[in-house]
Amino acid sequence: MKLFKLAKTFRTEEDGAVTVDWVVLTAAIVGLGIAVYGVVSGGIANLSGDIDTQLETDQINTSFPAAAPVD
């Protein structure tokens, strides 16, 4: 009889349900983050290479042009 009471209490207990929900939601968010990284990483690498090339080829002009005469 005690075993049936224990089984009924176990079946009606809901404390662990919230934990299971959080574990499932966290796993979904981590999976989504990994999927986004997989899709975006190639484009980010390409863009960073383009920025690096542009910064290496640009020359910085430190002299100021002469001011235009004011009429």
Coordinates of all heavy atoms in Angstrom, one line a residue:
M1 N 0.8 -1.2 0.0 CA 0.0 0.0 0.0 C 0.9 1.3 0.0 O 0.5 2.2 -0.6 CB -0.9 -0.1 1.2 CG -2.2 0.7 1.1 SD -3.1 0.0 -0.3 CE -4.5 0.9 -0.2
K2 N 2.0 1.2 0.8 CA 2.9 2.4 0.8 C 3.5 2.6 -0.5 O 3.7 3.8 -0.9 CB 3.9 2.1 1.9 CG 4.8 3.3 2.2 CD 5.7 3.0 3.3 CE 6.5 4.2 3.6 NZ 7.5 4.1 4.7
L3 N 3.8 1.6 -1.3 CA 4.4 1.7 -2.6 C 3.4 2.5 -3.6 O 3.9 3.3 -4.3 CB 4.7 0.4 -3.2 CG 5.4 0.4 -4.6 CD1 6.7 1.1 -4.5 CD2 5.6 -1.0 -5.1
F4 N 2.1 2.2 -3.5 CA 1.2 2.9 -4.4 C 1.0 4.3 -4.0 O 0.9 5.2 -4.9 CB -0.2 2.2 -4.3 CG -0.2 0.8 -4.9 CD1 -0.5 -0.3 -4.1 CD2 0.1 0.7 -6.2 CE1 -0.6 -1.5 -4.7 CE2 0.0 -0.6 -6.8 CZ -0.3 -1.7 -6.1
K5 N 1.1 4.6 -2.7 CA 1.0 6.0 -2.3 C 2.3 6.8 -2.7 O 2.2 7.9 -3.2 CB 0.9 6.1 -0.7 CG 0.8 7.5 -0.2 CD 0.6 7.5 1.3 CE 0.5 8.9 1.8 NZ 0.4 8.9 3.3
L6 N 3.4 6.1 -2.7 CA 4.7 6.8 -3.1 C 4.6 7.0 -4.6 O 5.0 8.0 -5.1 CB 5.9 5.9 -2.8 CG 7.2 6.4 -3.2 CD1 7.6 7.7 -2.5 CD2 8.3 5.3 -2.9
A7 N 4.1 6.0 -5.4 CA 4.0 6.2 -6.8 C 3.0 7.3 -7.2 O 3.3 8.1 -8.1 CB 3.5 4.9 -7.5
K8 N 1.9 7.4 -6.5 CA 1.0 8.5 -6.7 C 1.6 9.9 -6.4 O 1.4 10.8 -7.2 CB -0.3 8.3 -5.9 CG -1.4 9.3 -6.1 CD -2.6 9.1 -5.3 CE -3.6 10.2 -5.5 NZ -4.8 10.0 -4.7
T9 N 2.3 10.0 -5.3 CA 3.0 11.2 -5.0 C 4.0 11.6 -6.1 O 4.1 12.7 -6.5 CB 3.7 11.1 -3.6 OG1 2.7 10.7 -2.7 CG2 4.3 12.4 -3.2
F10 N 4.8 10.6 -6.5 CA 5.8 10.9 -7.5 C 5.1 11.3 -8.8 O 5.6 12.2 -9.5 CB 6.6 9.6 -7.8 CG 7.6 9.7 -8.8 CD1 8.8 10.4 -8.5 CD2 7.5 9.2 -10.1 CE1 9.8 10.5 -9.5 CE2 8.5 9.3 -11.0 CZ 9.6 10.0 -10.7
R11 N 4.0 10.7 -9.2 CA 3.3 11.1 -10.5 C 2.7 12.5 -10.4 O 2.7 13.2 -11.4 CB 2.2 10.1 -10.7 CG 1.6 10.2 -12.1 CD 0.5 9.2 -12.4 NE -0.6 9.4 -11.4 CZ -1.3 8.5 -10.8 NH1 -1.0 7.2 -11.0 NH2 -2.3 8.8 -10.0
T12 N 2.3 12.9 -9.3 CA 1.6 14.2 -9.2 C 2.6 15.4 -8.9 O 2.3 16.5 -9.0 CB 0.5 14.2 -8.1 OG1 1.1 13.9 -6.8 CG2 -0.6 13.3 -8.4
E13 N 3.8 15.0 -8.5 CA 4.8 16.1 -8.2 C 5.3 16.8 -9.5 O 5.6 16.1 -10.5 CB 6.1 15.4 -7.5 CG 7.0 16.3 -6.9 CD 6.5 17.0 -5.7 OE1 5.7 16.4 -4.9 OE2 6.8 18.2 -5.5
E14 N 5.4 18.1 -9.4 CA 5.7 18.9 -10.6 C 7.0 19.7 -10.5 O 7.2 20.6 -11.3 CB 4.5 19.8 -11.0 CG 3.3 19.0 -11.5 CD 2.2 19.9 -11.9 OE1 2.4 21.1 -12.0 OE2 1.1 19.4 -12.2
D15 N 7.7 19.5 -9.4 CA 8.9 20.4 -9.2 C 9.9 20.2 -10.3 O 10.6 21.2 -10.7 CB 9.5 20.0 -7.8 CG 8.7 20.5 -6.7 OD1 7.9 21.4 -6.9 OD2 8.9 20.0 -5.5
G16 N 10.2 19.0 -10.8 CA 11.2 18.8 -11.8 C 10.8 19.2 -13.2 O 11.6 19.4 -14.1
A17 N 9.5 19.5 -13.4 CA 9.0 19.9 -14.8 C 9.6 21.2 -15.2 O 10.0 21.4 -16.4 CB 7.5 20.0 -14.8
V18 N 9.8 22.2 -14.3 CA 10.4 23.5 -14.7 C 11.8 23.3 -15.1 O 12.3 23.9 -16.0 CB 10.2 24.4 -13.5 CG1 10.9 25.7 -13.8 CG2 8.8 24.7 -13.1
T19 N 12.5 22.4 -14.4 CA 13.9 22.2 -14.7 C 14.0 21.6 -16.1 O 14.9 22.0 -16.9 CB 14.5 21.2 -13.7 OG1 14.4 21.8 -12.4 CG2 16.0 21.0 -13.9
V20 N 13.2 20.6 -16.4 CA 13.2 20.0 -17.7 C 12.9 21.1 -18.8 O 13.6 21.1 -19.8 CB 12.2 18.9 -17.8 CG1 12.1 18.4 -19.2 CG2 12.6 17.7 -16.9
D21 N 12.0 21.9 -18.5 CA 11.7 23.0 -19.5 C 12.9 23.9 -19.8 O 13.2 24.2 -20.9 CB 10.5 23.9 -19.0 CG 9.2 23.1 -19.0 OD1 9.1 22.1 -19.7 OD2 8.2 23.6 -18.4
W22 N 13.6 24.3 -18.7 CA 14.7 25.1 -18.8 C 15.8 24.4 -19.6 O 16.6 25.0 -20.4 CB 15.2 25.6 -17.5 CG 14.5 26.9 -17.0 CD1 13.5 26.9 -16.1 CD2 14.6 28.2 -17.5 NE1 13.0 28.2 -16.0 CE2 13.7 29.0 -16.8 CE3 15.4 28.8 -18.5 CZ2 13.6 30.3 -17.1 CZ3 15.3 30.1 -18.8 CH2 14.4 30.9 -18.1
V23 N 16.0 23.2 -19.3 CA 17.1 22.4 -20.0 C 16.8 22.4 -21.5 O 17.6 22.6 -22.4 CB 17.2 21.0 -19.4 CG1 18.1 20.1 -20.3 CG2 17.8 21.1 -18.0
V24 N 15.5 22.1 -21.9 CA 15.1 22.0 -23.3 C 15.3 23.4 -23.9 O 15.8 23.5 -25.1 CB 13.7 21.5 -23.4 CG1 13.2 21.7 -24.8 CG2 13.6 20.1 -23.0
L25 N 14.8 24.5 -23.3 CA 15.0 25.8 -23.9 C 16.4 26.2 -24.0 O 16.8 26.8 -25.1 CB 14.2 26.8 -23.0 CG 12.7 26.8 -23.1 CD1 12.1 27.7 -22.1 CD2 12.2 27.1 -24.5
T26 N 17.2 25.9 -23.0 CA 18.7 26.2 -23.1 C 19.3 25.5 -24.2 O 20.2 26.0 -25.0 CB 19.4 25.9 -21.8 OG1 18.7 26.7 -20.7 CG2 20.8 26.3 -21.8
A27 N 19.0 24.2 -24.4 CA 19.6 23.4 -25.5 C 19.2 24.0 -26.8 O 20.0 24.0 -27.8 CB 19.2 22.0 -25.4
A28 N 17.9 24.4 -27.0 CA 17.4 25.0 -28.2 C 18.2 26.3 -28.5 O 18.6 26.5 -29.7 CB 16.0 25.2 -28.1
I29 N 18.4 27.1 -27.5 CA 19.1 28.4 -27.8 C 20.6 28.1 -28.1 O 21.1 28.8 -29.1 CB 19.0 29.3 -26.5 CG1 17.6 29.8 -26.4 CG2 20.0 30.5 -26.6 CD1 17.3 30.5 -25.1
V30 N 21.2 27.2 -27.5 CA 22.6 26.8 -27.8 C 22.7 26.3 -29.2 O 23.6 26.6 -30.0 CB 23.2 25.9 -26.8 CG1 24.5 25.3 -27.3 CG2 23.4 26.5 -25.5
G31 N 21.8 25.4 -29.6 CA 21.7 24.9 -30.9 C 21.5 25.9 -32.0 O 22.1 25.9 -33.1
L32 N 20.6 26.9 -31.7 CA 20.4 28.0 -32.6 C 21.6 28.9 -32.8 O 22.0 29.3 -33.9 CB 19.2 28.8 -32.1 CG 18.7 30.0 -33.0 CD1 18.3 29.4 -34.4 CD2 17.6 30.7 -32.4
G33 N 22.3 29.1 -31.7 CA 23.6 29.9 -31.8 C 24.6 29.2 -32.6 O 25.3 29.8 -33.4
I34 N 24.7 27.9 -32.4 CA 25.7 27.1 -33.3 C 25.3 27.2 -34.7 O 26.2 27.3 -35.6 CB 25.8 25.7 -32.7 CG1 26.5 25.7 -31.4 CG2 26.6 24.8 -33.7 CD1 26.5 24.4 -30.7
A35 N 24.1 27.1 -35.0 CA 23.6 27.1 -36.4 C 23.9 28.5 -37.0 O 24.3 28.6 -38.2 CB 22.1 26.8 -36.5
V36 N 23.6 29.5 -36.3 CA 23.9 30.9 -36.8 C 25.3 31.1 -37.0 O 25.8 31.7 -38.0 CB 23.3 31.9 -35.8 CG1 23.8 33.3 -36.1 CG2 21.8 31.9 -35.8
Y37 N 26.2 30.6 -36.1 CA 27.6 30.7 -36.3 C 28.1 30.0 -37.5 O 28.9 30.6 -38.3 CB 28.4 30.2 -35.0 CG 29.8 30.1 -35.2 CD1 30.6 31.3 -35.1 CD2 30.5 29.0 -35.5 CE1 32.0 31.3 -35.3 CE2 31.9 28.9 -35.7 CZ 32.6 30.1 -35.6 OH 34.0 30.1 -35.8
G38 N 27.5 28.9 -37.8 CA 27.9 28.1 -39.0 C 27.6 28.8 -40.3 O 28.3 28.8 -41.2
V39 N 26.4 29.5 -40.3 CA 26.0 30.3 -41.5 C 26.8 31.6 -41.6 O 27.2 31.9 -42.7 CB 24.5 30.5 -41.4 CG1 24.0 31.5 -42.5 CG2 23.7 29.2 -41.4
V40 N 27.0 32.3 -40.6 CA 27.6 33.6 -40.6 C 29.1 33.6 -40.7 O 29.7 34.6 -41.1 CB 27.0 34.5 -39.5 CG1 27.7 35.8 -39.4 CG2 25.5 34.6 -39.6
S41 N 29.8 32.6 -40.2 CA 31.2 32.7 -40.0 C 32.0 32.9 -41.3 O 33.0 33.6 -41.3 CB 31.7 31.4 -39.3 OG 31.5 30.3 -40.1
G42 N 31.5 32.3 -42.4 CA 32.2 32.5 -43.7 C 32.1 33.9 -44.2 O 33.1 34.5 -44.6
G43 N 31.0 34.5 -44.0 CA 30.8 35.9 -44.4 C 31.6 36.9 -43.6 O 32.2 37.8 -44.1
I44 N 31.7 36.6 -42.3 CA 32.5 37.4 -41.4 C 34.0 37.3 -41.7 O 34.7 38.3 -41.7 CB 32.2 37.0 -39.9 CG1 30.8 37.4 -39.5 CG2 33.2 37.7 -39.0 CD1 30.4 37.0 -38.2
A45 N 34.4 36.1 -42.0 CA 35.9 35.9 -42.4 C 36.2 36.7 -43.7 O 37.2 37.3 -43.8 CB 36.2 34.5 -42.5
N46 N 35.3 36.6 -44.6 CA 35.4 37.3 -45.9 C 35.5 38.8 -45.7 O 36.3 39.5 -46.2 CB 34.3 36.9 -46.9 CG 34.6 37.4 -48.3 OD1 35.7 37.8 -48.6 ND2 33.5 37.4 -49.1
L47 N 34.5 39.3 -44.9 CA 34.4 40.8 -44.7 C 35.7 41.3 -43.9 O 36.2 42.3 -44.2 CB 33.2 41.1 -43.9 CG 32.9 42.6 -43.6 CD1 32.8 43.4 -44.8 CD2 31.7 42.7 -42.7
S48 N 36.1 40.5 -42.9 CA 37.3 41.0 -42.2 C 38.5 41.0 -43.1 O 39.4 41.8 -42.9 CB 37.5 40.1 -41.0 OG 37.8 38.8 -41.3
G49 N 38.6 40.0 -44.0 CA 39.7 40.1 -45.0 C 39.7 41.3 -45.9 O 40.7 41.9 -46.2
D50 N 38.5 41.6 -46.3 CA 38.3 42.8 -47.1 C 38.7 44.1 -46.4 O 39.3 45.0 -46.9 CB 36.9 43.0 -47.6 CG 36.5 41.9 -48.6 OD1 37.4 41.2 -49.1 OD2 35.2 41.7 -48.9
I51 N 38.3 44.2 -45.1 CA 38.7 45.3 -44.3 C 40.2 45.4 -44.1 O 40.8 46.5 -44.2 CB 37.9 45.3 -42.9 CG1 36.4 45.5 -43.1 CG2 38.5 46.3 -42.0 CD1 35.6 45.2 -41.9
D52 N 40.8 44.3 -43.8 CA 42.3 44.2 -43.7 C 43.0 44.7 -44.9 O 43.9 45.5 -44.9 CB 42.7 42.8 -43.3 CG 44.2 42.7 -43.1 OD1 44.7 43.5 -42.3 OD2 44.8 41.7 -43.7
T53 N 42.5 44.2 -46.1 CA 43.1 44.6 -47.4 C 43.0 46.1 -47.6 O 43.9 46.8 -48.0 CB 42.5 43.9 -48.5 OG1 42.6 42.5 -48.3 CG2 43.1 44.3 -49.9
Q54 N 41.8 46.7 -47.3 CA 41.6 48.1 -47.4 C 42.4 48.9 -46.5 O 43.0 50.0 -46.9 CB 40.1 48.4 -47.2 CG 39.7 49.8 -47.5 CD 39.8 50.2 -49.0 OE1 39.5 49.3 -49.8 NE2 40.2 51.4 -49.3
L55 N 42.6 48.5 -45.3 CA 43.4 49.2 -44.3 C 44.9 49.2 -44.7 O 45.6 50.1 -44.4 CB 43.2 48.7 -42.9 CG 41.8 49.0 -42.3 CD1 41.7 48.3 -40.9 CD2 41.6 50.5 -42.1
E56 N 45.3 48.1 -45.2 CA 46.7 48.0 -45.6 C 47.0 48.8 -46.9 O 48.2 49.3 -47.0 CB 47.1 46.5 -45.9 CG 47.2 45.7 -44.7 CD 47.6 44.2 -45.0 OE1 47.6 43.9 -46.2 OE2 47.8 43.5 -44.0
T57 N 46.1 49.0 -47.8 CA 46.4 49.8 -49.0 C 46.1 51.3 -48.9 O 46.6 52.0 -49.7 CB 45.5 49.2 -50.2 OG1 44.1 49.3 -49.8 CG2 45.9 47.8 -50.5
D58 N 45.3 51.7 -47.9 CA 45.1 53.1 -47.8 C 46.3 53.8 -47.2 O 47.0 53.3 -46.3 CB 43.9 53.4 -46.8 CG 42.5 53.2 -47.5 OD1 42.5 53.0 -48.7 OD2 41.5 53.2 -46.8
Q59 N 46.5 55.0 -47.7 CA 47.6 55.9 -47.2 C 47.0 57.0 -46.4 O 46.0 57.6 -46.8 CB 48.4 56.4 -48.4 CG 49.1 55.4 -49.2 CD 50.2 54.6 -48.5 OE1 50.9 55.2 -47.7 NE2 50.2 53.3 -48.7
I60 N 47.6 57.3 -45.3 CA 47.2 58.4 -44.5 C 47.9 59.7 -44.9 O 49.1 59.7 -44.8 CB 47.4 58.1 -43.0 CG1 46.6 56.8 -42.6 CG2 47.0 59.3 -42.1 CD1 46.8 56.3 -41.2
N61 N 47.2 60.7 -45.2 CA 47.8 62.0 -45.5 C 47.8 62.9 -44.3 O 46.7 63.2 -43.8 CB 47.0 62.6 -46.7 CG 47.6 63.9 -47.2 OD1 48.7 64.2 -46.8 ND2 47.0 64.5 -48.1
T62 N 49.0 63.2 -43.8 CA 49.1 64.0 -42.6 C 49.2 65.5 -42.8 O 49.2 66.3 -41.9 CB 50.2 63.5 -41.7 OG1 51.4 63.6 -42.5 CG2 50.0 62.0 -41.3
S63 N 49.4 65.9 -44.1 CA 49.6 67.3 -44.4 C 48.2 67.9 -44.8 O 47.4 67.2 -45.4 CB 50.6 67.5 -45.5 OG 50.1 67.0 -46.7
F64 N 48.0 69.1 -44.3 CA 46.7 69.7 -44.6 C 46.9 70.5 -45.9 O 47.9 71.2 -46.1 CB 46.3 70.6 -43.5 CG 45.9 69.9 -42.2 CD1 46.8 69.8 -41.2 CD2 44.7 69.3 -42.1 CE1 46.4 69.1 -40.0 CE2 44.3 68.6 -41.0 CZ 45.2 68.5 -39.9
P65 N 45.8 70.6 -46.7 CA 45.9 71.4 -48.0 C 45.9 72.9 -47.6 O 45.4 73.3 -46.6 CB 44.7 71.0 -48.8 CG 43.8 70.4 -47.8 CD 44.6 69.8 -46.6
A66 N 46.5 73.6 -48.4 CA 46.5 75.1 -48.2 C 45.1 75.6 -48.3 O 44.2 75.1 -49.1 CB 47.3 75.8 -49.3
A67 N 44.8 76.5 -47.5 CA 43.4 77.1 -47.4 C 43.2 77.9 -48.6 O 44.1 78.6 -49.1 CB 43.3 77.9 -46.2
A68 N 42.0 77.8 -49.1 CA 41.6 78.6 -50.3 C 41.5 80.1 -49.9 O 41.0 80.4 -48.8 CB 40.3 78.1 -50.9
P69 N 41.9 81.0 -50.8 CA 41.7 82.4 -50.4 C 40.3 82.8 -50.3 O 39.4 82.3 -51.0 CB 42.4 83.1 -51.6 CG 42.5 82.1 -52.7 CD 42.4 80.8 -52.1
V70 N 40.1 83.7 -49.3 CA 38.7 84.2 -49.0 C 38.5 85.5 -49.8 O 39.3 86.4 -49.7 CB 38.5 84.4 -47.5 CG1 37.1 84.9 -47.2 CG2 38.8 83.1 -46.8
D71 N 37.4 85.6 -50.5 CA 37.2 86.8 -51.3 C 36.5 87.8 -50.4 O 35.7 87.7 -49.6 CB 36.3 86.5 -52.5 CG 37.1 85.8 -53.6 OD1 38.4 86.0 -53.6 OD2 36.5 85.0 -54.3

